[in-house]
Amino acid sequence: MKRKLIAAIGVAGMMVGIAACGSEDGKGGTDASGNKTLTVWVMDGSAPDAWMAEVNKEFEAKHKGVKVKVEKQQWNGIQERVTTALSEDTPPDVLELGNTQTAGYAATGGLADLTGDKAKLGHDGWNKGMLASNELDGKLYSAPWYAASRVVVYDKTAFKKAGVTPPKTRQEWIDGLKKLKASDPKTQPIYLPGQSWYVYAGFVWDEGSDLAVKDGDKWKGNLSSPQAAAAMNFYKELQSYSTAPKDKDEATPQQSTDIVPKGGVASWIGLGWEAGGAIDAMKKAGKTADFGYFPIPGKTADKPGSVFFGGSNLAIAERSKNKDLAKEWLALAAGKQQMTAYAKATEGGLLPNTDAAQFKPAAGSFAEAMAKASSVGKITPVTSGWANVETAPNPIKDYMTKVLKGEDPKKAGEAADKVITERVNQQ
């Protein structure tokens, strides 16, 4: 799961050994006898081998003389590798892209316009939260594949001792944290670092706003808005029940393996691979992990709080020599039947692109809690310049730390907005 979900937080680094780009024959995937090769790039860990084999078997049965060549890639260095591949004459035909990266590739003209293929691809049935990252300026450039989101992980023993049950509203959440603190003053009711900005983003969305908004044909930062301040004030209230550092994020130190296994944490917010990592670390330390899971509570009980959807999309290279075949492969792989099989193959650990394909996860599992929030998933602003905002030092993180240390949210927001506005409009 960790390899799959690293895409959810936009990790990219130096390139490691990756398979050669495009087709080996240098003729756009066609050999001397006229047989075609459709090249598909997927990230290591994203597609179960058995599932991919079944998709390709069905596709090849319908297209005699066509072979699908799957090349697994690593997330490290993938942005540079994809940029290079899309500029070449024989790029991979189909590519898996992180959902926060897709707009950037679309803006540069590297991806095929799929707007006219919406019906064939199943556009109307896609999860609306996942769909946003596939469109830019009213055009469709990819199909959503899978996503994942954070949930609250809690210690069942600590909750039972304090008489706390999983909350459904923010107020119930706060009330529960108060009881946990009173029950055991030495235990953190919640471990929440000051810079867990993906969690904060969900609170901003709950207020009906966003981290950045359109301003004519440009974008501008929006952390100085009343909605962003209200979201940050709630984050500050939650964080007051934690002794986590105000100037660090959830990976510094890694909450799942460096903090939670040591004990003294009644609850925390994390991804599926983090929950699994905590369980493994506790087992190695001779401890028993008795975790429960619930969606991040919303302002009212009728729906959970908004969450960031990290995941991947499937796109077709603009320079592909096999666009028609690529579109048919994409329609098959991202269609309801194969997405249902995909959800089962990943044991409900990932959300498929349509609710109709959702595998029913086990009761009480992380996947069940994540699925409950699938209707309120969102992503960061869809613009090619958003990646610049996340570059260190991240202005959202700096803003959060300033407010947690006492600075006025509006003043801190105005400083952050200057940086966000400058960065988000860079191409």
Side-chain angles (χ1 to χ4, degrees):
M1 282 296 292
K2 182 172 182 178
R3 288 176 299 175
K4 300 171 188 173
L5 298 179
I6 282 179
I9 54 178
V11 173
M14 296 303 293
M15 182 172 66
V16 296
I18 301 178
C21 170
S23 305
E24 295 178 341
D25 53 45
K27 299 179 181 179
T30 304
D31 63 20
S33 61
N35 293 322
K36 290 181 178 292
T37 298
L38 190 74
T39 302
V40 178
W41 274 17
V42 294
M43 306 313 298
D44 186 22
S46 290
D49 291 341
W51 175 82
M52 181 62 79
E54 192 60 35
V55 171
N56 293 337
K57 178 181 178 181
E58 181 176 345
F59 180 81
E60 290 171 356
K62 295 178 180 178
H63 301 86
K64 301 300 182 183
V66 178
K67 292 294 182 182
V68 180
K69 180 182 180 182
V70 178
E71 295 182 347
K72 292 186 179 181
Q73 311 295 321
Q74 305 295 324
W75 281 112
N76 284 345
I78 192 60
Q79 293 191 55
E80 296 88 344
R81 190 61 178 176
V82 169
T83 298
T84 299
L86 293 177
S87 68
E88 296 182 345
D89 290 333
T90 56
D93 300 292
V94 181
L95 308 90
E96 174 186 352
L97 304 174
N99 63 353
T100 61
Q101 304 166 356
T102 306
Y105 299 123
T108 59
L111 305 182
D113 183 350
L114 304 177
T115 308
D117 302 281
K118 287 183 177 181
K120 177 194 297 184
L121 296 174
H123 175 277
D124 290 347
W126 291 337
N127 179 290
K128 297 300 182 284
M130 295 185 201
L131 175 59
S133 68
N134 297 270
E135 298 179 321
L136 183 67
D137 297 331
K139 294 183 179 180
L140 181 71
Y141 289 96
S142 58
W145 189 12
Y146 67 80
S149 60
R150 291 165 175 79
V151 309
V152 181
V153 185
Y154 71 96
D155 183 327
K156 290 182 179 179
T157 301
F159 268 53
K160 184 177 181 179
K161 178 183 176 183
V164 177
T165 56
K168 294 186 179 298
T169 67
R170 286 187 181 182
Q171 188 56 56
E172 290 177 1
W173 197 6
I174 296 298
D175 290 343
L177 296 178
K178 291 178 181 178
K179 290 182 179 179
L180 287 162
K181 185 174 183 178
S183 173
D184 187 353
K186 295 181 180 180
T187 293
Q188 294 186 70
I190 184 171
Y191 180 82
L192 182 63
Q195 297 184 343
S196 291
W197 72 275
Y198 286 110
V199 175
Y200 167 66
F203 299 155
V204 175
W205 295 325
D206 281 344
E207 297 297 332
S209 191
D210 210 336
L211 303 171
V213 295
K214 287 294 291 288
D215 182 21
D217 60 351
K218 299 288 186 178
W219 287 79
K220 66 178 181 179
N222 195 44
L223 297 188
S224 59
S225 67
Q227 295 92 339
M232 192 60 217
N233 285 334
F234 178 64
Y235 189 101
K236 186 174 183 178
E237 184 175 12
L238 280 179
Q239 215 272 332
S240 70
Y241 291 93
S242 175
T243 58
K246 293 178 172 57
D247 59 351
K248 304 293 182 183
D249 63 20
E250 69 280 4
T252 317
Q254 178 51 249
Q255 61 180 4
S256 60
T257 54
D258 297 335
I259 301 297
V260 175
K262 294 179 181 178
V265 175
S267 66
W268 49 290
I269 301 171
L271 292 160
W273 67 262
E274 291 181 293
I279 292 171
D280 289 344
M282 292 176 75
K283 286 182 179 178
K284 290 179 181 178
K287 299 179 181 179
T288 300
D290 189 15
F291 290 154
Y293 313 95
F294 60 85
I296 293 175
K299 299 180 76 171
T300 56
D302 58 318
K303 65 178 181 179
S306 298
V307 288
F308 170 72
F309 259 167
S312 285
N313 302 324
L314 291 170
I316 296 172
E318 171 60 24
R319 294 193 175 195
S320 166
K321 302 298 191 295
N322 301 303
K323 281 185 184 176
D324 288 340
L325 283 171
K327 289 176 183 178
E328 292 190 36
W329 187 93
L330 185 56
L332 173 64
K336 178 184 174 182
Q337 180 179 339
Q338 287 297 346
M339 286 308 303
T340 300
Y342 180 81
K344 290 181 179 179
T346 59
E347 299 180 338
L350 294 171
L351 298 170
N353 62 14
T354 172
D355 293 340
Q358 179 59 48
F359 172 67
K360 187 175 181 179
S365 65
F366 184 101
E368 181 186 52
M370 184 174 65
K372 288 179 180 178
S374 63
S375 63
V376 289
K378 298 179 182 295
I379 67 165
T380 49
V382 181
T383 170
S384 59
W386 182 256
N388 301 323
V389 176
E390 297 186 26
T391 302
N394 185 324
I396 305 171
K397 290 183 176 182
D398 291 345
Y399 159 80
M400 295 173 71
T401 295
K402 288 179 179 178
V403 176
L404 291 175
K405 290 186 174 181
E407 190 167 317
D408 176 69
K410 183 172 177 58
K411 180 181 177 182
E414 289 172 347
D417 284 347
K418 290 181 181 179
V419 180
I420 293 173
T421 300
E422 179 182 357
R423 291 188 185 182
V424 78
N425 290 304
Q426 293 174 354
Q427 300 299 319

